[in-house]
């Protein structure tokens, strides 16, 4: 009897999970469906059966060079992620294994910076970028994406590193390992799941960042978020073309997330089960 109840509960929670997943995914699904409609069909109302035309994709590619924006997104997301990891790994190591009285205060301060509205610092950041010649440049935008995501990267790595026994690092020191060897050859391999999930999450956050990428770029360093925004014009919203542009922009990150979901889940739950 208890086994039957357990089975019913499993089925119930599975159905609930699928319903929640479908509700969350439905806007993306409908965007993809709308991208295969003509503009006339797109404005007629809710319809899950598209005509199957690809005229919107042809129009999008004719209006803008998709691959240029795609390359910028790849460079910005990967570049900012690598730089953030290079900074965050030593920072998280020091906070996890050599904490001071101010460690928790520093962590809370870093996290509090994510609570501040981005628009509050838009003017000074824009003026700094203008004065240093960083507007519409990959270097400037990579630095910006690194800074805005660095607190999350440090926090996640700090959490993972805390789950690694300090005795292992002490043993490495007794064997004569330098600080560099300790971090690179001992700590990093043990935290690969956590580092991988942090890297994937940071790539997703950088890829989807729209506020700063739209305001600090125009053409040269514009990523796919700016590519989507370019299809919102004073003449109105062209839903089919906008949906096609959105589909092209989210497709790479959806594919990456699908193939790396096991690694992402494994890293996010790293240390959760004792």
């Amino acid at each position: 009897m208890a086994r039957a109840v357990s089975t019913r509960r499993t089925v119930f929670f599975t159905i609930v999970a699928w319903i929640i997943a479908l509700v969350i995914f439905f806007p993306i699904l409908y965007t993809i469906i709308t991208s295969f409609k003509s503009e006339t069909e797109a404005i007629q109302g809710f319809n899950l059966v598209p005509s199957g035309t690809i005229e919107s994709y042809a129009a999008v590619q004719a209006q803008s060079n998709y691959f240029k924006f795609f390359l910028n997104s790849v460079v910005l997301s990967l570049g900012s992620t690598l730089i953030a990891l290079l900074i965050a790994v030593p920072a998280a190591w020091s906070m996890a294994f050599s904490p001071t009285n101010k460690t928790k205060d520093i962590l809370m301060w870093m996290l509090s910076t994510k609570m501040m509205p981005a628009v509050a610092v838009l003017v000074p950041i824009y003026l700094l970028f203008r004065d240093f010649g960083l507007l519409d440049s990959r270097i400037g935008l990579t630095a910006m994406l690194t800074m805005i995501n660095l607190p999350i990267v440090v926090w996640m790595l700090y959490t993972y590193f805390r789950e690694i026994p300090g005795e292992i690092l002490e043993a490495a020191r007794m064997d004569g390992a330098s600080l560099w060897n300790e971090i690179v050859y001992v700590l990093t391999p043990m935290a690969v799941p956590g580092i991988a999930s942090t890297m994937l999450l940071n790539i997703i956050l950088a890829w989807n960042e729209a506020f700063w990428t739209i305001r600090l770029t125009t053409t040269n360093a514009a990523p796919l978020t700016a590519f989507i925004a370019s299809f919102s014009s004073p003449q109105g919203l062209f839903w089919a073309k906008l949906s096609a542009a959105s589909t092209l922009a989210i497709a790479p990150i959806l594919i990456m997330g699908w193939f790396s979901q096991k690694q992402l889940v494994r890293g996010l739950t790293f240390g959760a089960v004792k």
Side-chain angles (χ1 to χ4, degrees):
M1 185 66 182
R3 189 171 185 177
V5 172
S6 178
T7 302
R8 285 198 296 268
R9 289 185 62 182
T10 301
V11 172
F12 171 75
F13 285 116
T14 300
I15 294 174
V16 171
W18 272 103
I19 292 174
I20 295 174
L22 289 174
V23 170
I24 294 173
F25 184 72
F26 183 77
I28 299 175
L29 175 63
Y30 194 67
T31 298
I32 298 173
I33 292 173
T34 305
S35 70
F36 291 100
K37 297 178 180 179
S38 64
E39 289 295 344
T40 304
E41 289 178 295
I43 64 175
Q44 284 178 348
F46 183 78
N47 181 12
L48 290 175
V49 183
S51 61
T53 179
I54 60 172
E55 63 180 30
S56 297
Y57 288 95
V60 165
Q61 183 59 27
Q63 179 175 334
S64 302
N65 185 0
Y66 167 78
F67 293 101
K68 174 186 175 182
F69 294 94
F70 172 78
L71 180 60
N72 284 336
S73 287
V74 171
V75 171
L76 294 174
S77 57
L78 291 181
S80 62
T81 298
L82 292 176
I83 295 173
L85 286 175
L86 288 175
I87 298 172
V89 168
W93 173 89
S94 64
M95 293 178 184
F97 299 107
S98 299
T100 65
N101 295 332
K102 299 296 183 180
T103 296
K104 291 185 178 180
D105 294 335
I106 294 173
L107 286 168
M108 289 305 300
W109 171 77
M110 294 180 67
L111 192 61
S112 69
T113 61
K114 298 296 296 180
M115 304 176 189
M116 181 176 60
V119 70
V121 292
L122 173 60
V123 173
I125 291 294
Y126 185 88
L127 294 177
L128 285 172
F129 270 59
R130 183 199 64 183
D131 294 342
F132 285 96
L134 296 175
L135 287 176
D136 198 22
S137 69
R138 288 177 177 175
I139 295 176
L141 206 52
T142 299
M144 190 67 207
L145 293 175
T146 300
M147 289 186 290
I148 62 177
N149 292 326
L150 188 59
I152 296 177
V153 178
V154 172
W155 257 95
M156 291 185 67
L157 292 180
Y158 169 77
T159 304
Y160 300 138
F161 290 172
R162 289 275 293 176
E163 299 298 328
I164 297 176
E167 292 78 7
I168 297 178
L169 300 182
E170 291 178 5
R173 294 190 200 108
M174 293 180 64
D175 288 339
S178 64
L179 179 60
W180 171 258
N181 290 334
E182 179 183 329
I183 295 176
V184 175
Y185 298 110
V186 181
L187 178 65
T188 302
M190 295 183 64
V192 165
I195 294 175
S197 64
T198 302
M199 181 180 68
L200 292 171
L201 182 61
N202 193 75
I203 289 174
I204 293 172
L205 292 174
W207 190 280
N208 293 331
E209 175 60 40
F211 183 84
W212 293 109
T213 55
I214 292 175
R215 285 157 180 82
L216 298 178
T217 62
T218 52
T219 55
N220 295 330
L224 287 171
T225 48
F227 172 73
I228 297 173
S230 66
F231 289 91
S232 176
S233 65
Q235 290 77 22
L237 292 175
F238 297 92
W239 294 110
K241 295 183 181 66
L242 189 60
S243 297
S246 299
T247 301
L248 289 171
I250 65 177
I253 208 70
L254 279 178
I255 295 172
M256 187 196 76
W258 177 264
F259 284 105
S260 61
Q261 57 181 320
K262 289 184 179 180
Q263 183 66 40
L264 186 60
V265 171
R266 180 187 176 194
L268 291 175
T269 56
F270 180 68
V273 179
K274 298 291 186 183

